Amino acid sequence: MADTFQLEIVTPEKMVVKDVAEEIQIPGKDGYLGILPGHAPLITELAVGEISYRKGGQTHYLSVAWGFAEVLPDKVTILAETAERPQEIDVKRAQESKRRAEEALQNGKTEADFTRAEDALKRAETRLEVAGKSQH
Amino acid sequence: MPNILDIRRRIRSVTNTRQITKAMKMVSAAKLRRAQERALAARPYAQMLTNVLKSLVSRAEIYDPETGEPRHPLLARRPERNVLLIVVTGDKGLAGAFNTNILKAAARFIATKADKNLEIETIGRKGRDFLRRRYRAAEPRSVDSEGPPQTTIVGEQIGVLNKIDYDLALGLAERVIERYGKEEIDSVYLLYNEFKSVIAQRLIVEQILPIEQIGVPAVSMAEGMTQKEKERALEAARDAGVGIRPADTRDIDAAAAKFAVAPVDYIYEQSPEELFRSLLPKYVAIQVFRALQESVAAEHAARMTAMDAATSNATDMIDSLTLAMNRARQAKITKEIIEIVSGAAAQ
């Protein structure tokens, strides 16, 4: 069996990654999934989180908001609403939105406000976490 | 007799104008090229999403097998009482008839919905300025309020077109979906200038909600380019070095067609129904995103064409002014010679 698979990560704005990888971790809606070549075909929704994939001994990180993934034995395709590499993340903006989300959590009145703020907080935290990881 | 100095001054002024229009044309051409590239870059995601949804429709039994009724609210048609129209124009003028044509089409569409409550949301400064003069802003009212149907403006977005990002489209889509879900509005239409290539453009009204059929835009009013407009656009494009063929998307589409529909038994981490439910709003968002991108490309193309026409008009004007100046100069010389000769003869 081949020891790599093709990897494509696509967002509405562009194709972010088109590469070959040996292993990938994706933030499934119901928990993180680790995928190796030869994985059984699978379809899942993605939550807010961090994608990490290994290629030639190097691990690459991306932060994603909502997404959708198809896993085939020799290929993983991910549709994500946003997918950013660490160097693309605007740390200042993420910190700002984290602060705002925390404020909203404190002062939120309705249930909807709460969920929205929680989502925003999670996105900001993921971004900051991924931004802190070096590409090497 | 016209004054030579005056004519010379006018020639200089027209030459300056021509320089500006020429520069604007080249800038628009460059922006158009970039807009086309962006639209192309957005295609894989849009196509993949559409394909997944199409395949999920059958797997998740979205349509009731007995009655054929859709089981998802965004697909269900209901009597149209409150209509939302989103009009996409440009923020700036000097783009020929681009904005005017859109607003004329908007007026026609509004007339067809005269017996319903119509809410208008504008994207782009030009549309806002025009429509705000004709219709008043919406006042808060309850959904069931009786009274004559009215046309009101509910929202505006200006200055967002320089940098169309997906978040903008997503925000818009989420807002209309929420209002649709609450039955505040029964249908949503998007009026914009569709852009396939410089010579393949249409002004269309596309029904965004309810979704008639996934993957097939529900166009309810369309207006193509006239032959003359096409010729002009073609000439401008050729002169500015912009390609006139629509981008080749066959490879992208073929790759996207394979997404999530391989003939294998997938493990579904979530049920197909659940997936369909979370994907459908994204489909609406991507439709809006594509429409905005096309409208921006069309605006740049329109400006490029208009500025090309302006440049060639300026050239014509310079030619005829130069001719007039030469005539005047010649006449002056002839007159001087006559004066000298008759002066000499008189002695």
Side-chain angles (χ1 to χ4, degrees):
Chain A
M1 174 150 304
D3 50 4
T4 57
F5 55 85
Q6 283 180 56
L7 173 65
E8 277 183 17
I9 301 178
V10 185
T11 68
E13 270 148 29
K14 57 176 191 257
M15 185 159 284
V16 181
V17 175
K18 194 179 169 99
D19 211 342
V20 180
E22 293 135 22
E23 185 190 342
I24 187 167
Q25 298 240 359
I26 55 174
K29 198 182 178 190
D30 307 321
Y32 272 81
L33 300 163
I35 290 157
L36 293 169
H39 196 285
L42 174 126
I43 283 180
T44 183
E45 219 182 312
L46 301 184
V48 177
E50 168 191 315
I51 292 180
S52 57
Y53 66 93
R54 208 156 49 80
K55 184 199 170 193
Q58 267 191 14
T59 310
H60 302 263
Y61 298 94
L62 290 136
S63 85
V64 287
W66 180 91
F68 181 87
E70 179 205 29
V71 178
L72 288 174
D74 58 349
K75 190 172 184 191
V76 174
T77 313
I78 296 169
L79 295 189
E81 240 167 19
T82 57
E84 294 162 314
R85 295 175 182 280
Q87 65 268 29
E88 288 166 353
I89 293 173
D90 186 340
V91 177
K92 239 189 195 150
R93 209 178 123 192
Q95 275 164 345
E96 177 66 18
S97 60
K98 183 180 170 190
R99 198 185 52 72
R100 245 179 311 156
E102 280 166 346
E103 241 166 56
L105 273 181
Q106 304 254 312
N107 312 326
K109 289 189 183 68
T110 63
E111 188 85 4
D113 282 354
F114 231 77
T115 348
R116 206 168 294 158
E118 237 168 30
D119 280 355
L121 182 62
K122 208 162 165 208
R123 274 200 301 272
E125 278 177 345
T126 311
R127 279 211 174 99
L128 288 174
E129 199 172 304
V130 173
K133 287 186 176 157
S134 75
Q135 197 74 329
H136 310 291
Chain B
M1 192 178 73
N3 187 331
I4 298 174
L5 206 62
D6 283 349
I7 299 181
R8 195 169 279 152
R9 239 181 242 138
R10 276 200 68 198
I11 291 177
R12 206 175 302 138
S13 138
V14 176
T15 312
N16 284 339
T17 310
R18 183 175 65 173
Q19 252 165 13
I20 294 168
T21 57
K22 205 169 190 175
M24 278 182 80
K25 181 180 92 179
M26 297 321 283
V27 168
S28 298
K31 283 188 177 167
L32 169 62
R33 245 175 265 136
R34 226 171 309 141
Q36 280 176 305
E37 274 162 25
R38 267 203 292 270
L40 196 61
R43 198 167 171 95
Y45 180 92
Q47 291 292 321
M48 284 178 182
L49 193 66
T50 311
N51 281 319
V52 178
L53 275 167
K54 271 199 218 153
S55 77
L56 285 174
V57 164
S58 51
R59 272 177 221 252
E61 294 197 339
I62 296 304
Y63 290 91
D64 196 308
E66 279 167 26
T67 60
E69 287 292 307
R71 283 176 177 162
H72 193 285
L74 295 187
L75 300 169
R77 189 173 258 291
R78 55 180 182 238
E80 204 176 53
R81 291 198 308 143
N82 301 303
V83 180
L84 174 67
L85 172 69
I86 303 171
V87 182
V88 188
T89 59
D91 276 328
K92 294 180 204 146
L94 289 181
F98 177 77
N99 292 311
T100 326
N101 284 345
I102 292 171
L103 293 169
K104 270 190 206 152
R108 274 200 300 279
F109 180 82
I110 291 167
T112 65
K113 300 283 175 194
D115 54 340
K116 292 163 184 136
N117 282 322
L118 182 67
E119 299 182 353
I120 303 173
E121 183 161 340
T122 56
I123 299 178
R125 188 183 302 273
K126 289 287 165 184
R128 180 202 64 169
D129 290 353
F130 176 80
L131 291 166
R132 209 163 53 169
R133 254 177 272 137
R134 301 185 81 172
Y135 305 104
R136 57 206 172 76
E139 288 150 20
R141 71 186 162 90
S142 70
V143 186
D144 304 311
S145 72
E146 294 297 319
Q150 49 182 339
T151 303
T152 50
I153 295 185
V154 291
E156 57 183 49
Q157 307 219 24
I158 54 173
V160 293
L161 293 166
N162 311 328
K163 209 192 162 296
I164 296 279
D165 57 5
Y166 176 72
D167 285 347
L168 171 74
L170 183 67
L172 191 70
E174 279 174 348
R175 212 167 55 237
V176 298
I177 288 169
E178 194 188 324
R179 297 194 62 207
Y180 186 83
K182 286 193 209 151
E183 306 210 357
E184 286 175 14
I185 43 180
D186 303 312
S187 58
V188 180
Y189 295 87
L190 192 61
L191 169 60
Y192 68 101
N193 194 323
E194 184 190 59
F195 183 91
K196 295 291 171 230
S197 80
V198 174
I199 49 166
Q201 300 185 48
R202 289 188 304 167
L203 262 180
I204 60 173
V205 176
E206 195 174 311
Q207 185 180 322
I208 298 290
L209 287 176
I211 298 165
E212 297 257 302
Q213 197 186 344
I214 289 160
V216 185
V219 175
S220 62
M221 206 166 96
E223 196 181 307
M225 301 168 87
T226 62
Q227 193 56 38
K228 209 168 171 195
E229 281 170 342
K230 266 188 202 168
E231 276 164 22
R232 261 202 212 126
L234 195 61
E235 204 176 293
R238 198 174 289 148
D239 204 46
V242 173
I244 49 161
R245 267 174 216 295
D248 188 354
T249 56
R250 272 172 301 181
D251 290 351
I252 295 175
D253 293 352
K258 291 195 207 112
F259 182 65
V261 289
V264 291
D265 275 332
Y266 286 104
I267 304 166
Y268 281 91
E269 282 274 297
Q270 291 82 26
S271 72
E273 288 85 5
E274 201 182 322
L275 285 177
F276 188 83
R277 252 163 236 289
S278 35
L279 281 169
L280 204 55
K282 315 295 180 192
Y283 176 74
V284 178
I286 201 76
Q287 298 287 93
V288 174
F289 184 53
R290 190 183 44 76
L292 292 178
Q293 278 184 325
E294 288 191 16
S295 172
V296 169
E299 186 189 344
H300 290 314
R303 186 163 297 120
M304 181 182 82
T305 309
M307 288 302 120
D308 182 70
T311 307
S312 77
N313 287 348
T315 307
D316 291 349
M317 199 181 242
I318 291 170
D319 286 350
S320 71
L321 282 174
T322 309
L323 193 68
M325 184 185 75
N326 288 344
R327 271 210 195 109
R329 195 187 55 207
Q330 196 58 56
K332 194 179 153 210
I333 293 168
T334 313
K335 201 177 135 211
E336 276 169 9
I337 291 173
I338 291 171
E339 275 167 8
I340 293 167
V341 170
S342 48
Q347 276 181 352

